[in-house]
Amino acid sequence: MERSISQCTLVSDGNTSDFALPSDYGRMLVKADVHSSIWSVNYEPAKDKDEWIQLQRFMPSTIPGYWIIYGGQMHLLPTPRANENPTFWYISAKLVRGADGTMKADFDSDDDSFVLDEQLLLLSTIWRWKQAEGLDYQEDMQNYEVRLSQLAAKDQGSRPIRANRSGLNRLGIWAMAR
């Protein structure tokens, strides 16, 4: 399955900890890491918003820190140093390729193409049309979901979520600056 994967580098000034997501941001990869340009370990994802609140109140001494996305922003804790410039990969929301090769979010021409699986688009269109017309669409929706699951299984694998995290990253205070 072809995807529109892009890289984002956040320009850090030593004072900013909340960064706007790219204008074409769709979602993080299933296996998502936020990399620091100065530390040999990655930022750890906050498990959820409740953990984020706890981290803000009682930030453990970890290197380089934690990240979470909400409100259209990437939030980092603690505030990255100047020129640390955290980097991550994401999947673009622009899933349509125009005849001239430019990426866009919507179809607006007959010669536009879908960058994801064409069969998935067709199956989605069928069940949604049948639903809108009041027809029986359950089998068609199930066909769509099967195809979606097949394609999702090919996406880059996720790492397990650890429910009983101690709050320290892999190397704790022993992480080395590059």
Side-chain angles (χ1 to χ4, degrees):
M1 168 169 66
E2 183 182 352
R3 293 174 295 208
S4 183
I5 299 176
S6 299
Q7 186 179 40
C8 175
T9 299
L10 306 172
V11 179
S12 57
D13 59 11
N15 297 312
T16 305
S17 60
D18 306 319
F19 299 87
L21 292 171
S23 61
D24 67 334
Y25 179 86
R27 67 174 177 88
M28 295 294 277
L29 295 171
V30 174
K31 180 199 167 295
D33 280 323
V34 178
H35 304 268
S36 168
S37 65
I38 63 171
W39 300 105
S40 61
V41 294
N42 299 328
Y43 283 84
E44 290 286 325
K47 181 178 62 176
D48 54 34
K49 291 177 184 159
D50 290 326
E51 181 182 44
W52 186 253
I53 290 171
Q54 288 295 90
L55 289 168
Q56 288 175 312
R57 293 175 58 207
F58 308 106
M59 178 62 188
S61 58
T62 62
I63 297 172
Y66 291 86
W67 66 272
I68 192 170
I69 294 176
Y70 66 87
Q73 292 186 315
M74 167 73 72
H75 304 273
L76 300 170
L77 189 66
T79 300
R81 296 178 184 185
N83 300 314
E84 183 174 341
N85 302 339
T87 301
F88 60 93
W89 293 95
Y90 67 95
I91 296 179
S92 174
K94 294 184 177 181
L95 300 177
V96 178
R97 179 177 289 115
D100 62 356
T102 60
M103 300 301 294
K104 49 190 176 179
D106 299 311
F107 290 94
D108 59 14
S109 176
D110 288 342
D111 52 1
D112 289 345
S113 61
F114 189 51
V115 299
L116 299 179
D117 187 74
E118 293 280 344
Q119 183 183 12
L120 182 68
L121 177 63
L122 178 63
L123 292 170
S124 174
T125 303
I126 290 170
W127 82 259
R128 291 171 196 273
W129 177 81
K130 284 186 174 183
Q131 179 188 37
E133 294 295 316
L135 302 172
D136 181 23
Y137 63 90
Q138 294 301 318
E139 183 178 349
D140 296 294
M141 185 172 76
Q142 185 177 14
N143 291 338
Y144 162 79
E145 289 174 346
V146 166
R147 182 66 181 156
L148 180 62
S149 294
Q150 291 169 342
L151 295 170
K154 294 179 184 179
D155 199 352
Q156 297 179 6
S158 63
R159 58 183 167 196
I161 296 174
R162 299 177 304 260
N164 58 348
R165 295 172 16 150
S166 66
L168 293 177
N169 64 21
R170 291 182 295 281
L171 299 177
I173 62 171
W174 302 106
M176 307 261 309
R178 290 187 201 174

